[in-house]
């Protein structure tokens, strides 16, 4: 059956365009139930005995939720108890348009066989499709379509069971929809009403999202915030320049302050400061907001005060009290910032937040405050009947809304993650908080893996270069199982050298567009935590078939150069290949071979050749202006039984680290030039923008404090200045300066060549760069492999690969995932550092001042690669006299003046007074300052680190 609609439309040029829309209807669409034998001969999804114990529904039944129930009660629908649910096509379409995260979650539930969720295509069924009536809104038409589909199911199941007990229950929180459904003769309940009726599952009540009516019941009558403007007024205000649109970033150290970054290009003002609860007006970190700019006479400077929200748990803090905390506080700078207020929310970016419950002091209370782990998120008021069981637990909570008469947003409990401080729980929290996808790979993804046993075929041998005879080897950190790269170096008959970098051919196994490819693209990168690795691709590929392990044949993508003995490239070619690695070495093992003059085997000769050439390549790069920066990296030695860190030290780099790095850089640069030459509009490249001059202010001041000058006109000038910056009898000074220089740098990013004109990589002093050498752990490298394969006619192209807009969108996701992975790695190191000091007690150690603040000094402990602060304004005792000079910068405490890079001695211990935000505490021992320094107390694991990623 075909329905068609014809209408005409006026085009921009003034012409008339006739449009015909056809809508096909069928009468053979399956209902999906076990009780129906006629609809279709397929495995049924909905069970015949769909029983769930309920005071309201004593009969077996299927649930049909409307759109708002799916959108707002997704946490309920995901619970294992809720099964046999019919998701209508119209509901799925509406959810897809209104919330991408909820759409993904409901699709995952549909694919989970144990849930028995069935999608019914009501919009194409002859008996359930309805036309929109004249004067009827789209929303009302969709509500009617849901009722019609529910009625059809009710009648259909009654026929198939001869009037049996199996029924359909419609769930809706829309009062009008419920009344009309009851008039229709349907079994219909509000979601809360139905969940309350379930026997023996009171914890489900905690997961109910609050509706607007419920939220008004638990808030006060006092108006705390201005009303948000309607979207229509916001849009017209943005259009006429009255309002600005931007993304809100909350201040981690001051809950009364935040910034809005303006999204529109060409806008004179790109950042607006917000101060005070009323001006923040219920904006939550990462929300897209509309703001009104204040007149210049109302502009202020950012506050230097640290304010945590510590108002009482059970009552709303007075607005006046909190606002007064900002008044009279000296600003960090006399420079005023554009200041404004939030007038409306354009898009909420809420997600489930991890944190801990602050139990109410009122006995038998069911309303409590939840404190998120992320200090940028406000506390959330939730209702729960299991507060006593959730104390000292890490839990997840979702925000439901933020009424204008409530000091805090309202939310609901999602799930219990486990005990606070437990390693598994804390790892789960940091993965969730940094949005790292870590769920097991789905069956749809795993179905695209090669079938085992796998071997290289005759076809592979025909189309690939056979390099199994070459003496290639890998050099990696200890315990590495995802080996991306191998190298070789040999002398040719003409006296030149052949050098090869052979990279795992992951793109051979991951084909464009399939579920495996989509999952890898979404994850973007492998994430390395202390003692744990979150793979981008399934383990069969990452640690087996793609890993270039020794003494097994593997598929590779080879970049091979002919060089003279001065490391000058004479020829370069790229080829898909087959290799057989002769050795899988650690950096230490490779270094030992190079240093041991008695070793003369082919592997050692190859390593020595590579090492000699690498030194020449590095010297040449540095001469061109490449920066050699420094960043303290920590290594943990882990107890094999308890898995706790038993030792912690700063990571030492060997010559072989630099050797591997040089050839990876060379391969990346060579491939970048090749793919750009072939595909100038859609090459995926990586750039490192040069920092703005103001970024270097602190570096220049630090050098000047030791009578040294740092020139920052170019990367070359900076590199030369750093190389010449030495202080007599202070060998660690240059390292400290390079650590500081690293902090001045911008973030390197992926981009599409057709969408940008600036390709330069500042840190490497290279005009072009990409990532080719780590496709097991980076999706960017897979795309680069595909581009290179097309360039050398080793593979075919596909539309998305040549679409610069899609490439650019992919780059945005890769940059986000890369940044989140870095943050997650740092959080993992911080947690293991806390574990180490928890077991060690108090330790005395020497360190250097890295930064000087108004009330503190930031200290680096080289032995542990650890940073911490010594504060001089202690709430528990009188503060010493402090005098801060921003020009130095110096801080005078009583009679002693601290400056950057001064040597100090401190005690290091774990401050566990706040179980959620434990931190490393440092106290000054030397220099001795009366009333400040502490007496000298008696005192006294290795994580797989990612390879260098420039």
């Amino acid at each position: 059956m075909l329905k068609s609609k014809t209408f005409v439309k006026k085009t921009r040029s003034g012409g008339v365009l006739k449009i015909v829309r056809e809508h096909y209807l069928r009468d053979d669409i399956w209902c999906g139930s076990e009780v129906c034998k006629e609809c279709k001969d397929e495995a049924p999804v909905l069970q015949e005995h769909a029983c769930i114990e309920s005071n309201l529904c004593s009969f077996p039944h299927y649930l049909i939720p409307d759109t708002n129930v799916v959108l707002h009660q997704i946490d309920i629908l995901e619970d294992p108890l809720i099964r046999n649910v019919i998701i209508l096509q119209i509901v799925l379409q509406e959810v897809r348009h209104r919330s991408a995260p909820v759409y993904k979650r409901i699709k995952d539930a549909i694919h989970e066989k144990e849930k028995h969720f069935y999608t019914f295509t009501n919009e194409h069924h002859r008996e359930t499709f309805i036309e929109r009536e004249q004067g009827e809104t789209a929303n009302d038409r969709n509500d009617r379509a849901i009722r019609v589909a529910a009625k059809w199911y009710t009648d259909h199941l009654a026929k198939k069971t001869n009037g049996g007990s199996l029924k359909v229950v419609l769930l809706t929180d829309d009062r009008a929809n419920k009344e009309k459904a009851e008039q229709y003769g349907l079994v219909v309940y509000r979601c809360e009403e139905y969940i309350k009726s379930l026997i023996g599952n009171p914890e489900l009540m905690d997961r109910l999202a609050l509706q607007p009516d419920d939220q008004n019941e638990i808030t006060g009558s006092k108006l705390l915030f201005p009303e948000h403007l309607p979207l229509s007024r916001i849009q017209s205000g943005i259009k006429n320049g009255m309002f600005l649109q931007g993304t809100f970033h909350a201040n981690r150290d001051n809950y009364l302050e935040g910034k809005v970054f303006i999204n529109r290009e060409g806008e004179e003002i790109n950042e607006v400061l917000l101060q005070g609860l009323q001006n923040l007006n219920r904006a939550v970190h990462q929300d897209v907001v509309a703001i009104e700019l204040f007149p210049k006479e109302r502009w202020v400077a950012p506050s230097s005060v640290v304010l945590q929200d510590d108002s009482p748990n059970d009552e709303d803090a007075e607005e006046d009290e909190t606002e007064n905390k900002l008044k009279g506080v000296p600003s960090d700078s006399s420079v005023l910032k554009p200041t404004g207020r939030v007038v409306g929310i354009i898009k909420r970016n809420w997600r489930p937040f991890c944190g801990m419950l602050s139990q109410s002091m009122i006995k038998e209370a069911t309303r409590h405050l939840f404190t998120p782990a992320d200090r940028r998120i406000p506390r959330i008021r939730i209702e729960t009947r299991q507060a006593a069981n959730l104390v000292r637990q890490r839990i997840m909570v979702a925000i439901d809304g933020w009424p204008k008469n409530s000091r805090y947003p309202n939310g609901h409990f999602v799930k219990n993650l486990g005990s606070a401080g437990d390693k598994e729980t804390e790892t789960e929290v940091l993965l969730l908080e940094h949005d790292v996808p870590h769920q097991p790979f789905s069956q749809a993804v795993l179905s695209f893996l090669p079938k085992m046993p796998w071997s290289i075929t005759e076809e592979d041998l025909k189309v690939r270069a056979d390099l199994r005879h070459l003496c290639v080897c890998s050099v990696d950190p200890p315990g590495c199982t995802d080996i991306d790269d191998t190298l070789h170096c040999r002398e040719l008959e003409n006296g030149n050298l052949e050098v090869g970098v052979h990279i795992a051919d992951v793109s051979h196994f991951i084909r464009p567009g399939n579920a495996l490819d989509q999952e890898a693209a979404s994850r973007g990168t492998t994430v390395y935590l202390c003692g744990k690795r979150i793979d981008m691709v399934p383990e069969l590929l990452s640690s087996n078939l793609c890993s270039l392990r020794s003494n097994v044949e593997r598929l590779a993508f080879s970049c091979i150069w002919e060089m003279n003995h001065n490391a000058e490239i004479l020829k370069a070619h790229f080829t898909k290949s087959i290799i057989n690695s002769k050795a899988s070495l650690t950096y230490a093992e490779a270094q030992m071979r190079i240093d041991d003059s008695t070793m003369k085997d082919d592997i050692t000769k190859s390593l020595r050749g590579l090492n000699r050439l690498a030194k020449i390549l590095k010297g040449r790069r540095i001469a061109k202006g490449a920066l050699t920066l420094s960043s303290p990296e920590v290594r943990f030695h882990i107890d094999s039984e308890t898995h706790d860190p038993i030792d912690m030290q700063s990571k030492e780099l060997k010559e072989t680290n630099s050797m591997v790095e040089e050839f990876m850089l060379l391969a990346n640069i060579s491939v970048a030039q090749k793919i750009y030459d072939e595909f100038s509009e859609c090459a995926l490249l990586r750039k490192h923008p040069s920092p703005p001059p103001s970024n270097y202010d602190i570096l220049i001041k630090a050098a000047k404090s030791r009578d040294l000058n740092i020139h920052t006109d170019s990367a070359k000038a900076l590199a030369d200045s750093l190389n010449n910056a030495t202080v007599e009898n202070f060998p660690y000074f240059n390292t400290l300066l390079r650590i500081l220089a690293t902090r001045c740098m911008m973030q390197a990013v992926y981009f599409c060549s057709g969408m940008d004109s600036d390709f330069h990589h500042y840190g490497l002093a290279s005009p072009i760069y990409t990532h080719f050498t780590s496709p097991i752990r980076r999706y960017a490298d897979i795309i680069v492999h595909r581009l290179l394969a097309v360039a050398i006619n080793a593979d075919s192209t596909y539309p998305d690969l040549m679409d610069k807009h899609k490439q650019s969108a992919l780059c945005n996701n890769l940059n986000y995932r890369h940044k989140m992975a870095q943050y997650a790695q740092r959080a993992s190191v911080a947690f293991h550092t806390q574990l180490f000091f928890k077991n060690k007690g108090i330790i005395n150690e020497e360190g250097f001042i890295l930064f000087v603040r108004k009330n503190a000094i930031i200290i680096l402990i080289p032995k542990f690669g650890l940073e911490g602060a010594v504060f001089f304004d202690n709430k528990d005792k009188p503060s010493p006299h402090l005098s801060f000079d921003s020009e130095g910068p110096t801080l005078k405490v009583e009679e002693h003046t601290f400056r950057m890079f001064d040597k100090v001695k401190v005690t290091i211990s774990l401050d566990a007074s706040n179980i959620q935000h434990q931190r490393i505490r440092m106290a000054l021992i030397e220099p001795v300052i009366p009333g400040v320094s502490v007496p000298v107390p008696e005192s006294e694991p290795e994580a797989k680190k990612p390879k260098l990623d420039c």
Side-chain angles (χ1 to χ4, degrees), residues 49-73:
H49 304 291
C51 296
I52 183 169
E53 288 189 271
S54 164
N55 293 325
L56 288 174
C57 309
S58 56
F59 43 83
H61 57 276
Y62 301 149
L63 296 174
I64 298 183
D66 74 358
T67 306
N68 284 323
V69 168
V70 175
L71 283 169
H72 301 301
Q73 306 295 354

Side-chain angles (χ1 to χ4, degrees), residues 700-761:
I700 292 167
K701 283 181 180 179
K704 202 168 276 186
S705 71
R706 305 288 165 161
D707 299 321
L708 294 169
N709 291 319
I710 295 288
H711 301 286
T712 59
D713 308 336
S714 64
K716 173 86 169 109
L718 175 61
D720 290 344
S721 296
L722 290 173
N723 291 338
N724 296 328
T726 57
V727 173
E728 199 174 340
N729 301 321
F730 192 173
Y732 199 66
F733 172 80
N734 191 263
T735 303
L736 286 168
L737 211 57
R738 290 180 192 276
I739 289 171
L740 204 57
T742 306
R743 311 288 172 92
C744 302
M745 294 298 121
M746 304 291 284
Q747 182 73 44
V749 291
Y750 297 110
F751 69 101
C752 177
S753 59
M755 304 292 281
D756 206 326
S757 57
D758 178 18
F759 295 5
H760 189 72
H761 196 294

Side-chain angles (χ1 to χ4, degrees), residues 477 629-636 648-653 657 732 735 739 743 825 829 833 860-867 943-949:
L629 301 175
S630 183
S631 181
E633 288 190 32
V634 181
R635 298 174 76 91
F636 293 99
M648 175 182 173
Q649 62 193 59
S650 189
K651 184 177 176 182
E652 288 181 25
L653 298 179
N657 290 81
Y732 199 66
T735 303
I739 289 171
R743 311 288 172 92
Q825 287 160 15
V829 168
T833 302
L860 172 71
I861 310 296
K863 180 178 177 181
F864 299 133
L866 173 70
E867 279 181 48
K944 160 71 164 69
K945 300 293 290 183
K947 295 178 207 169
L948 180 85
D949 181 5

Side-chain angles (χ1 to χ4, degrees), residues 300-302 331-338:
V300 297
S331 295
D332 281 340
S333 164
S334 58
V335 179
L336 301 179
K337 299 286 184 186

Side-chain angles (χ1 to χ4, degrees), residues 537-555:
V537 298
E539 191 176 14
L540 179 64
L541 297 182
S542 66
S543 296
N544 188 351
L545 300 185
C546 292
S547 184
L548 305 181
R549 302 183 301 185
S550 57
N551 302 314
V552 288
E553 294 179 355
R554 288 289 179 257
L555 302 180

Side-chain angles (χ1 to χ4, degrees), residues 411-476:
H412 67 272
F413 169 79
V414 175
K415 71 174 175 179
N416 187 348
L417 298 171
S419 299
D422 174 74
K423 267 195 297 243
E424 287 299 316
T425 302
E426 296 300 333
T427 299
E428 177 74 4
V429 167
L430 74 87
L431 290 171
L432 289 166
E433 282 297 289
H434 294 98
D435 196 17
V436 175
H438 59 286
Q439 66 280 6
F441 290 100
S442 69
Q443 280 306 122
V445 169
L446 298 176
S447 68
F448 286 95
L449 292 174
K451 302 296 178 276
M452 299 299 285
W454 175 87
S455 62
I456 290 170
T457 64
E458 288 297 320
E459 183 61 30
D460 292 326
L461 288 165
K462 286 179 187 174
V463 297
R464 290 173 178 268
D466 188 349
L467 306 180
R468 289 174 291 182
H469 62 285
L470 292 179
C471 187
V472 305
C473 66
S474 61
V475 184
D476 289 285

